[in-house]
Amino acid sequence: MKDDIVPRRCFGPEIWLAGVAMHLALLAGLKYAPSAISASGEPMEFQRIMYFHVPSAWVAFLAFFVTFVASIAVLVKRSMWWDSIATASAEIGILFCTMALISGSIWGKAAWNLWWAWDPRLTTTFILWLVYASYVILRMSTPSGERSARFGAVYATIGFVSVPLTYVSVKLGAGMHPKSAGLEPKMLHALLFCIGAFTVLYFAFLRARFRLEQLRRAIQ
Amino acid sequence: MRWLSAVLCLAAKDVRHELRTREALASMAVFSLLTIVLFHFGFSDLGQEATVFAPGALWVTFTFASMIGLARSFSVEEINGCLRGLLLCPHDRSVIFAGKMLGSIASVGAVSTVALVLFVVLFNLPIFSMLWLVWIVMLLGVVGVTAVGTVFSAMTIGTRMRQTLLPVLVLPIILPLVVFGMQTTAKIINSATTGSAPVAEIAGGIVGMLLFDVILTTAGIMTFEHVVVE
């Protein structure tokens, strides 16, 4: 892979796909999926936040995983191309992780009457957010270049390794986060569609941010 | 053998340097004392039971104090190009990592030990019989924190924000270890005060921390060579 390759356009065809898919995702989550029914038989419209929350969390994890893989590639191949991928993906991951945390918090207020609970999944996601926020701060404060790429790669690798450890260490308390079991087929369709739409959106963002990073590198 | 003697030589150099200047030791010790005072006014002065907040306070004190020592670990090597000299040594990079880590374990471990004793005395914690166990758990924490801290200390001297960045980088990574350490310490203190020891749980905590230490140290050794390439 050539290091200094710059995509010609900011957005590729996937942005159109993402645009259409995100609109359809809105319809899927708000219209197609039936209302969730509470144990007492009342509809719980707030449950629809799931179609936004779960895909956001999924994209956040995907983005951080991409950063991890790209970081290993940086360390092995000393490739700046992969570094642009890692930087771009980490920032997008933070964006989606923030959205997942905020949407989860709004849902929590409706469902648990709590803005936040120190549940293992919530805590791990929060710490994941902190790890990658530190990653971005590290990248901001290192003069860009080969050394910055190495530092970032080392941090992203160690950071990713620490995530399962965090999950184990906080899991000792009982979790209250809902599990995915028992979704109606239509709800599952809508959810899977939203996850797909968000994933396409992630790749559209990744290309745009990657191009920006490559351009920045090119003019330096 | 050659690897080990080089590591010990580097660690001994750091310990000697620290004993002569006493810069990091003094600031870590005073910082720990100040934290203890703050915890007194923040918790025990407000009526909180010392046995309840002690595990958290102990680990917060030791974690933040260790940041001071770790920040100095590599910044002292910058003077007169010492780091370049180290890198020119005909040794593997892992020697520098292990030597530096061992040196930090010595200084951070010493300060933590003093802080632990002061903690027990100043808050009248009735845990003398279990003190050795708390000490072991704390040392396991020191190993993990210095493993991560050594890599990031070498990293931060190459950034614009310098050592200010170190806690920001280290704390999210060592969080699981600190959480585990707090939980295990709480169990030990609890068993010392109530008299019933959940041996299996405490042993599980110690094994878990050992595992974390192995993982973090391995990650440190594997990534350190990428940090000090020049």
Side-chain angles (χ1 to χ4, degrees):
Chain A
M1 209 71 76
K2 268 187 75 180
D3 273 9
D4 50 359
I5 192 165
V6 179
R8 269 184 45 220
R9 292 206 190 92
C10 182
F11 291 116
E14 69 276 5
I15 192 68
W16 298 106
L17 188 59
V20 174
M22 289 302 284
H23 281 92
L24 289 176
L26 265 182
L27 284 176
L30 296 180
K31 283 271 173 228
Y32 174 79
S35 302
I37 307 295
S38 72
S40 55
E42 291 162 37
M44 298 188 294
E45 294 303 340
F46 67 82
Q47 198 68 34
R48 292 182 190 275
I49 210 164
M50 168 179 85
Y51 304 108
F52 182 85
H53 171 75
V54 175
S56 301
W58 150 253
V59 169
F61 294 133
L62 173 71
F64 293 147
F65 183 68
V66 168
T67 300
F68 170 65
V69 173
S71 295
I72 293 197
V74 170
L75 292 180
V76 174
K77 293 185 176 172
R78 300 250 172 261
S79 149
M80 298 308 269
W81 190 91
W82 280 108
D83 182 53
S84 294
I85 293 279
T87 317
S89 194
E91 285 180 16
I92 301 167
I94 289 187
L95 174 72
F96 280 93
C97 199
T98 311
M99 296 199 308
L101 286 171
I102 292 176
S103 59
S105 191
I106 297 170
W107 180 88
K109 183 66 187 163
W112 302 331
N113 201 22
L114 292 170
W115 290 111
W116 181 261
W118 291 95
D119 166 275
R121 277 209 217 183
L122 274 70
T123 313
T124 310
T125 311
F126 186 32
I127 292 166
L128 195 65
W129 187 92
L130 284 171
V131 167
Y132 284 89
S134 303
Y135 171 86
V136 171
I137 295 172
L138 172 69
R139 298 310 300 264
M140 285 193 315
S141 74
T142 323
S144 64
E146 196 258 343
R147 185 157 74 167
S148 168
R150 266 190 287 117
F151 284 5
V154 166
Y155 193 75
T157 312
I158 297 184
F160 197 83
V161 169
S162 85
V163 172
L165 299 184
T166 307
Y167 189 71
V168 171
S169 77
V170 296
K171 206 175 158 50
L172 299 171
M176 60 198 283
H177 191 284
K179 305 288 181 289
S180 57
L183 276 187
E184 265 184 55
K186 274 192 163 184
M187 289 171 138
L188 191 65
H189 297 161
L191 184 61
L192 290 176
F193 184 81
C194 289
I195 289 177
F198 272 65
T199 310
V200 177
L201 184 68
Y202 162 73
F203 283 108
F205 280 178
L206 185 65
R207 176 203 279 257
R209 183 65 185 84
F210 168 76
R211 177 171 179 270
L212 205 64
E213 192 63 24
Q214 290 291 75
L215 280 176
R216 200 182 55 77
R217 222 189 281 287
I219 57 168
Q220 258 169 4
Chain B
M1 231 23 242
R2 193 168 160 268
W3 188 87
L4 192 67
S5 68
V7 167
L8 289 177
C9 175
L10 184 56
K13 179 212 69 130
D14 271 7
V15 171
R16 223 166 25 241
H17 177 259
E18 196 44 58
L19 286 178
R20 284 180 193 163
T21 60
R22 294 193 197 91
E23 284 170 343
L25 279 179
S27 31
M28 275 195 283
V30 173
F31 176 85
S32 306
L33 283 174
L34 287 169
T35 327
I36 291 175
V37 171
L38 282 180
F39 274 117
H40 163 69
F41 285 110
F43 293 100
S44 78
D45 203 35
L46 298 178
Q48 295 264 346
E49 200 62 51
T51 45
V52 176
F53 71 80
L58 206 59
W59 278 82
V60 168
T61 306
F62 133 72
T63 312
F64 283 92
S66 65
M67 291 302 129
I68 298 176
L70 287 166
R72 270 191 65 76
S73 174
F74 274 88
S75 63
V76 292
E77 300 292 351
E78 269 197 306
I79 307 160
N80 297 330
C82 292
L83 186 59
R84 179 153 300 168
L86 275 183
L87 292 176
L88 286 173
C89 288
H91 281 292
D92 199 63
R93 295 278 189 264
S94 61
V95 168
I96 304 179
F97 173 80
K100 277 288 171 189
M101 185 180 154
L102 215 58
S104 297
I105 289 177
S107 57
V108 175
V111 172
S112 307
T113 309
V114 174
L116 174 64
V117 173
L118 283 174
F119 224 90
V120 172
V121 172
L122 291 174
F123 288 113
N124 297 307
L125 289 175
I127 58 164
F128 280 109
S129 56
M130 297 291 240
L131 200 56
W132 61 277
L133 205 54
V134 177
W135 187 69
I136 287 177
V137 171
M138 204 147 155
L139 283 192
L140 287 174
V142 171
V143 172
V145 171
T146 48
V148 177
T150 303
V151 178
F152 294 153
S153 176
M155 202 187 266
T156 47
I157 57 169
T159 64
R160 269 193 292 264
M161 281 163 76
R162 326 273 310 163
Q163 307 298 345
T164 328
L165 200 56
L166 188 67
V168 178
L169 296 183
V170 175
L171 292 176
I173 309 284
I174 59 162
L175 224 129
L177 185 71
V178 174
V179 171
F180 231 69
M182 284 175 182
Q183 287 166 345
T184 312
T185 310
K187 278 175 200 143
I188 297 172
I189 291 181
N190 198 32
S191 74
T193 47
T194 58
S196 62
V199 181
E201 279 182 35
I202 294 173
I206 289 176
V207 171
M209 289 187 75
L210 259 175
L211 207 66
F212 281 13
D213 283 348
V214 170
I215 294 172
L216 292 176
T217 311
T218 313
I221 290 181
M222 284 174 71
T223 50
F224 185 74
E225 58 173 316
H226 297 288
V227 174
V228 288
V229 169
E230 274 94 4

